[in-house]
Amino acid sequence: MSNSLKASTAGLAIVDKARLRLGWTKTSTARWWQDAHTSRATLRRFWQGDRIQREIFIAICQAVGITNWEAIADSSDIDSEIIADIPKPYLDWNEAPDVESFYGRNQELMQLEQWIEAGCKLVMIVGIAGIGKTALTLALADRIQSQFDCLIWKSLHSAPSLNSLVDSLLNNFDRDVVRDLQQGTAQLIHHLQQRRCLLILDGLDADLNNYNQFIQKISRSHQSCILIASREQPKAIEIDSKTIRCLNLKGLPKTEALELLQSRGFTGKELGLSALVQLYRGNPLALKLVTPLIQSVFAGNVAGFLTQNTLVIGDRLRVILKQQFEQLADLEQDILYWLAIWQEPVSFCRLQTHLLISVDPATVLEAIVTLERRSLLEKWIGTGEISFSLQPLVMKVVTDELVERAVQEIQQVVQSNDLRHFKILRTHWLLRPGTDDIAGDRILHQLKENLWRLYGATLPQTFEQILLLLKDRSPLAIGYLACNLGTILKQLRILS
């Protein structure tokens, strides 16, 4: 009996259904090859229909619940040790990450496959942090790798220089010394013309503008496909229905998000699971990060967690979103602040009228387009005007950032008596429209609580001293300062 086995085409289809039920990718779910006591490389060989060691073949099948491994094996030449000398595609998965689970996304996978089969040379998957861009890219690459002569996965999360990226890519083809970036780019395009390659650039987020020209050059005049996963769409790349396409990835639909939650230990009978999915807008990473807290602090009581009326974001997501926020222009940050204050969809006209300093409407529109491209806005289309809002994850981060900066401004003014330190508190009226006090306003309440921890019972006197500095100042210099400080001071007096 042969000591090696390979899977038949029908057998691979059976294994494919089994791994889908578990929410596993074909070759990037670490648990699979770990449970089978093998390696990712061997698992990839299994999917390519290569012969692998008999015991490992059986273990791979058993890991996904298939005990009848004979039904998976190719019996046509099971006793033959002769392996046809067929050229194998070149695969470089070294920088591809492992994923824990992958659910749904069938519609997105079909759309992406159609674009690539139609000859698209550049396909972009964009979306907010944690939405599953990398997992979707892995699942897609698993499905279509056989259509290409070579596959190269490059992770750009460490923000390599463009020179080092091109040099690294060329090392997959030849070892020629590259004298400059222009020559290296030309060599890369030549290789993309000679072979049908799937080049994956995952995490093209940092210094995106530095890559724009490079991406433009490599997105045409070859038979290959460039697949990019990024939090934003490159600004200079124009969508072309034939050769350049972009998929804006949204959260998981309710059914698939519930499957994810069930894989995390929830039975599906718990109250509030649907509300939890909606709260986090089906963001897979956010759901994975919040579930351990619900299980440990609330004993798995989702409804109990929801009654706290709060949003918990893990450090990993918070850092990414905060970094993205800090990279925005001042006007873009101002728009996000206003949307966080209002907590509801806001029309362009209403947004325009609340800006303290008049800004050309065209400039505001450009800022909104940029924020949309960076997946930071939600667009609401009703019977009237189009409105914009923030999804909860972004709103939470922007709100915390707003309060933190407001506290810093007050500290700086108290120390220096210089009103020029006031920026946010001067340009934004923090009280949510439709309310007349701080009691139910989360931003002013959060700001008051943070300041009370710093100044304690001296906070009212501190505010009164700052208000004295506003005397004889111009309305533009004061802005919303008096309103913001006066409202908090009024509430402090009521509570005292």
Side-chain angles (χ1 to χ4, degrees):
M1 181 178 289
S2 172
N3 195 39
S4 65
L5 295 172
K6 69 176 183 178
S8 66
T9 302
L12 289 176
I14 295 172
V15 177
D16 195 40
K17 291 181 180 179
R19 63 97 187 170
L20 283 172
R21 286 194 294 270
L22 295 172
W24 291 1
T25 60
K26 283 185 176 179
T27 54
S28 297
T29 301
R31 182 179 170 185
W32 195 347
W33 67 76
Q34 290 168 357
D35 285 359
H37 302 290
T38 185
S39 65
R40 182 199 296 217
T42 302
L43 184 57
R44 292 195 185 283
R45 289 177 54 216
F46 170 87
W47 280 106
Q48 291 168 18
D50 293 346
R51 287 187 171 277
I52 60 175
Q53 189 175 342
R54 178 189 180 86
E55 290 77 11
I56 295 177
F57 181 96
I58 295 172
I60 287 174
C61 295
Q62 291 176 338
V64 290
I66 297 175
T67 56
N68 183 21
W69 57 267
E70 293 92 342
I72 309 303
D74 186 348
S75 59
S76 61
D77 60 345
I78 198 165
D79 295 322
S80 175
E81 293 292 342
I82 301 175
I83 300 176
D85 186 19
I86 301 174
K88 298 294 182 183
Y90 175 80
L91 303 175
D92 177 6
W93 290 90
N94 294 334
E95 296 185 22
D98 303 335
V99 295
E100 180 183 356
S101 58
F102 179 79
Y103 291 92
R105 301 299 195 192
N106 291 326
Q107 185 175 350
E108 291 89 342
L109 285 167
M110 289 177 59
Q111 179 66 84
L112 291 165
E113 281 193 79
Q114 288 174 5
W115 287 345
I116 293 172
E117 289 172 0
C120 276
K121 303 185 185 304
L122 174 63
V123 175
M124 296 172 283
I125 301 175
V126 301
I128 193 173
I131 206 68
K133 301 180 293 295
T134 297
L136 177 61
T137 304
L138 280 165
L140 176 65
D142 272 338
R143 288 172 61 141
I144 66 174
Q145 59 180 307
S146 60
Q147 302 175 21
F148 295 86
D149 301 322
C150 70
L151 180 151
I152 302 171
W153 184 294
K154 288 297 175 184
S155 176
L156 306 184
H157 293 288
S158 60
S161 69
L162 188 51
N163 279 357
S164 62
L165 171 63
V166 173
D167 185 58
S168 175
L169 289 170
L170 288 174
N171 281 338
N172 289 276
F173 301 103
D174 54 47
R175 296 287 178 178
D176 293 342
V177 177
V178 180
R179 296 180 181 177
D180 56 43
L181 180 60
Q182 184 175 357
Q183 179 192 15
T185 304
Q187 283 182 237
L188 178 61
I189 293 174
H190 171 75
H191 289 298
L192 297 178
Q193 292 170 336
Q194 296 298 112
R195 303 174 69 180
R196 179 160 167 76
C197 301
L198 179 61
L199 173 57
I200 301 166
L201 303 179
D202 179 38
L204 187 63
D205 302 310
D207 298 324
L208 186 60
N209 291 334
N210 295 331
Y211 289 92
N212 273 332
Q213 189 174 7
F214 169 72
I215 295 171
Q216 283 182 310
K217 287 182 179 180
I218 65 172
S219 62
R220 54 179 182 268
S221 303
H222 54 69
Q223 60 173 324
S224 300
C225 180
I226 318 298
L227 184 58
I228 292 176
S230 174
R231 289 196 297 270
E232 61 181 275
Q233 179 185 328
K235 188 174 182 180
I237 305 300
E238 295 293 334
I239 303 301
D240 180 330
S241 60
K242 291 184 178 180
T243 60
I244 300 177
R245 302 301 295 259
C246 181
L247 175 70
N248 292 291
L249 192 60
K250 306 299 182 184
L252 288 172
K254 176 183 172 181
T255 302
E256 293 157 5
L258 290 177
E259 288 180 10
L260 185 152
L261 291 172
Q262 289 170 13
S263 74
R264 309 290 291 184
F266 295 94
T267 64
K269 297 179 181 179
E270 291 89 350
L271 296 174
L273 283 180
S274 296
L276 184 68
V277 171
Q278 175 59 22
L279 177 64
Y280 284 93
R281 295 297 194 270
N283 186 298
L285 180 57
L287 290 171
K288 290 176 182 178
L289 292 175
V290 76
T291 47
L293 180 143
I294 296 174
Q295 289 166 333
S296 62
V297 178
F298 295 89
N301 186 343
V302 178
F305 167 75
L306 293 173
T307 60
Q308 303 304 307
N309 195 28
T310 188
L311 194 74
V312 176
I313 304 177
D315 290 340
R316 180 177 165 192
L317 258 180
R318 183 183 297 278
V319 168
I320 294 173
L321 290 170
K322 186 171 181 178
Q323 288 175 346
Q324 193 174 9
F325 177 82
E326 290 171 347
Q327 293 169 357
L328 300 175
D330 289 345
L331 178 58
E332 293 162 5
Q333 291 186 357
D334 284 346
I335 291 172
L336 294 191
Y337 282 143
W338 277 118
L339 295 178
I341 292 166
W342 281 320
Q343 305 176 50
E344 61 185 18
V346 177
S347 68
F348 171 76
C349 292
R350 185 182 179 193
L351 176 64
Q352 179 78 11
T353 58
H354 278 74
L355 295 176
L356 182 65
I357 301 175
S358 179
V359 180
D360 181 3
T363 304
V364 179
L365 283 171
E366 289 174 2
I368 289 176
V369 169
T370 299
L371 292 170
E372 271 197 284
R373 198 179 68 246
R374 289 174 170 163
S375 308
L376 294 174
L377 291 186
E378 284 188 340
K379 185 186 291 184
W380 298 78
I381 303 176
T383 55
E385 292 185 89
I386 294 177
S387 299
F388 304 93
S389 66
L390 305 180
Q391 61 170 281
L393 288 174
V394 179
M395 187 173 293
K396 172 65 175 172
V397 171
V398 173
T399 297
D400 290 347
E401 188 71 16
L402 188 157
V403 171
E404 181 181 334
R405 293 192 182 185
V407 170
Q408 291 173 354
E409 291 177 7
I410 290 172
Q411 286 180 293
Q412 290 170 335
V413 172
V414 168
Q415 293 169 2
S416 65
N417 286 330
D418 188 349
L419 290 176
R420 287 178 296 180
H421 291 295
F422 279 129
K423 294 178 182 177
I424 292 175
L425 288 171
R426 184 179 69 86
T427 57
H428 293 76
W429 175 208
L430 303 187
L431 186 63
R432 182 182 180 185
T435 60
D436 57 2
D437 61 66
I438 190 178
D441 191 279
R442 60 189 179 88
I443 291 182
L444 283 172
H445 180 75
Q446 186 176 338
L447 176 58
K448 183 200 71 173
E449 292 297 313
N450 288 10
L451 289 170
W452 187 265
R453 284 193 289 269
L454 283 172
Y455 296 101
T458 66
L459 184 56
Q461 292 81 7
T462 301
F463 270 30
E464 288 171 352
Q465 291 173 6
I466 295 176
L467 288 170
L468 289 174
L469 298 175
L470 302 183
K471 286 186 176 181
D472 302 324
R473 299 281 182 164
S474 68
L476 184 59
I478 296 175
Y480 293 106
L481 266 174
C483 296
N484 287 323
L485 299 179
T487 300
I488 300 178
L489 183 58
K490 177 183 176 182
Q491 184 67 17
L492 289 170
R493 287 171 175 163
I494 292 173
L495 296 175
S496 61

